Structures are given as structure tokens and as C-alpha cells.
Amino acid sequence: MEEYVYAAVFGVIQALTEFLPISSSGHLVLAAELTGDHANEASYDVALHGGTLLAVLAYFRDDWAVMWLAGRRELRRHGLALTRWRGRGKLALLLALGSVPGFVAGGLLQLTVRDGLRQPLVVGIMLIAVGGLMWFADTRGRTDRRVRDVDGRGALFIGAAQALAVVPGTSRSGITISAGRIFGLSRHAAARFSFLLSAPITAGSLALLVRDAVEDHSGIEWGPMAFGAIVAFAASMLVIRGLLGFLRRHGLGVFVWYRIVLGAVVLAGVAAGAFHS
């Protein structure tokens, strides 16, 4: 029963930190260190991402349906002449293009992240560093572009930023929203594109989990992981709606300060020997 309580706690943490720009993987590493649980293993982390993936698919279900229909229409009209695609069909292509850097980085750095970077010291540094980047991106430059204004260069730029999220403490949503803001997207548009872009990369991570599970049946506790994913799904639906509404009226400042304060606390804890770095 204790494992299911942990799973519920980690599911809520996952939901809050996956979409709020404060780093889900970093918080899961810290939570696992504090509880003494082994949920900081990459397989458990990805399982919780499954709950958030289902939330993205469900919350933006109308967008996915329209993109699917528009993509089929553009394929019939223009075939593989992708530069002629328009509207939601083009958006589907841009999401696919923006996902490429993340897939490449995930494949190249998977072992490094699992063995070397999932440490409180790394989390503390990245919380502060990316917090500074978020502040810069949110307070500088134009902010009048919408999701439909994203082009191939913008998709690749935001996708390249997403690739950095393999480092715990970075925050996938934080780094992609920041990249969107640098590109000129409004806060709401940057968050919306970030959430849509999360679906392909998370789906890819889940595919790797299934592959690993088939190869090695030991070490994966399916019951608690599934329960954590369900909790993450339910909480994520609320968090997505809340954050999109929040960003229509407010900036990223509260998240920047949270990251900086938490990062400083983590680094102090590492220096004092409270964590294993």
C-alpha cells in the first residue's frame, strides 16, 4: 500500500511539474532522494509521463482531430510537396519537425542522463540557470505572434530547445515556452505550442519503456506505476487548463523565482551533505 501512496504523490508532482515550467524530472529526482524511494529510475519517470501524455491528447483532442483531417486533405491536394501545405496540416508537419531534435538528443544522451545527470547537484544548477533564461525570454522582444505564425525555423528552434530537457532540472515546458517567447510568441501561444510539441517526444519515450519492459521483466512495478499514471492524468487536465488561463493574464515571474529559490536550497543541501551528488 505504501508504494501506491508514493505513486499518487509522484503522480501529482509529475502533473504539476510537467506543465508548470519548473522541471518534472528534477522534482522527481529530489522527491525520490527525500523519500528514499527508487522512483527516480528512468522507467518510473517515463511511466508517469504516460499520464501526462494522455492528458495532452485528451485536452487538445479537437486540435489533434483537426490536424489529422487537415493533414489528409493537404496530402491529397499537394502530396509530398510539403512546402505547399497550409493551416492545421502544416502545423502537424511543424510539430513533427520540432520533435526531431528531441528524438536525436534522447537517443544520444539516454545512457548519460540515466547514469550521470540524474543528480541533485545537476538539478540545482539547471533550476537556476534555466530560471534566468526564462526571465530574459519573458521580458525581452516582441510577443505578438500566435501558433499559426510558427514556421519551419521556429519549429526547429523550439524543438532544439526541447532537446535540452533531457537534463534534469531544465523543464521541458520551461525551455520550450522560453524558446517560443524568444521567437515572438505570446505567453499563451508559447505554452500551447509547447504542450502540443510534448506529445510526440513523450510517446517516443513510452515506446522505449515498452521495449525495455519486453527485454527485462524485472525491476518494473506495473501496479504502482499505472496508478501513478492515472493520478498524473487527472491532475494534468486541471494543470493544463489552469496554466493556459494564468498565462493570458500573468508572466512567468512567479515560476522564475520559485526555480531560483528551490535551486539555491538544493545546492545548499548538496553542500551540506543532505543529498548524494
Side-chain angles (χ1 to χ4, degrees), residues 63 66-71 73-74 77-78 82-95 147-150:
D63 293 83
V66 171
M67 279 190 281
W68 170 256
L69 295 175
R73 183 177 63 249
E74 293 297 302
R77 289 179 177 177
H78 306 299
L82 302 181
T83 56
R84 300 177 62 185
W85 285 37
R86 295 293 182 269
R88 294 298 183 89
K90 179 183 177 182
L91 176 58
L93 286 177
L94 292 175
L95 292 175
V147 170
R148 69 183 185 185
D149 297 319
V150 177

Side-chain angles (χ1 to χ4, degrees), residues 211-229:
R211 183 202 65 183
D212 293 342
V214 170
E215 294 177 353
D216 183 7
H217 295 284
S218 63
I220 298 181
E221 299 177 351
W222 289 105
M225 287 167 58
F227 183 66

Side-chain angles (χ1 to χ4, degrees), residues 12-242:
V12 172
I13 292 174
Q14 171 65 23
L16 290 172
T17 57
E18 173 66 15
F19 298 107
L20 300 182
I22 55 178
S23 178
S24 61
S25 60
H27 278 75
L28 289 171
V29 169
L30 297 177
E33 286 275 343
L34 293 174
T35 62
D37 193 73
H38 298 292
N40 62 332
E41 295 178 358
S43 60
Y44 199 101
D45 193 354
V46 173
L48 294 179
H49 278 68
T52 56
L53 171 62
L54 290 177
V56 170
L57 296 178
Y59 190 89
F60 296 105
R61 56 189 178 277
D62 292 339
D63 293 83
W64 298 118
V66 171
M67 279 190 281
W68 170 256
L69 295 175
R72 293 179 58 186
R73 183 177 63 249
E74 293 297 302
L75 184 61
R76 288 195 301 268
R77 289 179 177 177
H78 306 299
L80 295 179
L82 302 181
T83 56
R84 300 177 62 185
W85 285 37
R86 295 293 182 269
R88 294 298 183 89
K90 179 183 177 182
L91 176 58
L93 286 177
L94 292 175
L95 292 175
L97 179 63
S99 300
V100 172
F103 282 121
V104 173
L108 293 176
L109 299 179
Q110 182 182 15
L111 293 178
T112 302
V113 170
R114 180 177 299 174
D115 297 335
L117 296 181
R118 297 177 67 84
Q119 304 292 334
L121 176 61
V122 176
V123 171
I125 293 172
M126 295 306 295
L127 282 170
I128 296 173
V130 177
L133 175 63
M134 286 171 51
W135 172 82
F136 174 82
D138 196 46
T139 57
R140 297 292 186 272
R142 58 183 293 181
T143 60
D144 58 341
R145 290 179 174 175
R146 291 172 285 183
V147 170
R148 69 183 185 185
D149 297 319
V150 177
D151 54 16
R153 290 182 300 176
L156 276 176
F157 177 66
I158 298 173
Q162 178 173 252
L164 298 176
V166 296
V167 181
T170 298
S171 171
R172 193 210 59 80
S173 64
I175 199 71
T176 51
I177 290 174
S178 296
R181 296 286 286 152
I182 292 173
F183 181 71
L185 294 177
S186 69
R187 295 184 181 100
H188 182 271
R192 191 175 186 86
F193 191 82
S194 168
F195 295 162
L196 292 172
L197 188 62
S198 73
I201 197 71
T202 306
S205 298
L206 289 172
L208 291 176
L209 172 64
V210 172
R211 183 202 65 183
D212 293 342
V214 170
E215 294 177 353
D216 183 7
H217 295 284
S218 63
I220 298 181
E221 299 177 351
W222 289 105
M225 287 167 58
F227 183 66
I230 293 171
V231 173
F233 167 79
S236 293
M237 294 290 286
L238 299 176
V239 174
I240 292 172
R241 180 177 181 178

